[in-house]
Amino acid sequence: MDKQNSAIAESSTNQEEFTIVFVASITTKQGKRIYARQFGKKAFPIKVKASKA
């Protein structure tokens, strides 16, 4: 099994559900604000746990 297929197999066995949320800016641990447009992007993808509601 090559590296790419093993990653797919790993993620399919994971019991937690995730949702991708796109945000225009993020804040670092030091409190500095980073904007996606500074890196030539419209938004950063953030993986969050899906709610059970």
Side-chain angles (χ1 to χ4, degrees):
M1 188 180 278
D2 64 1
K3 193 174 187 177
Q4 186 178 16
N5 286 340
S6 65
I8 293 169
E10 237 178 74
S11 65
S12 65
T13 59
N14 191 356
Q15 298 297 322
E16 296 182 37
E17 295 289 323
F18 291 97
T19 302
I20 303 295
V21 177
F22 292 90
V23 295
S25 64
I26 57 174
T27 305
T28 65
K29 291 181 181 178
Q30 293 79 24
K32 185 177 177 185
R33 198 86 161 150
I34 299 176
Y35 295 93
R37 65 178 177 262
Q38 293 173 319
F39 295 92
K41 299 182 176 290
K42 289 187 177 184
F44 294 114
I46 307 291
K47 187 165 95 171
V48 295
K49 290 182 182 178
S51 62
K52 295 183 179 184

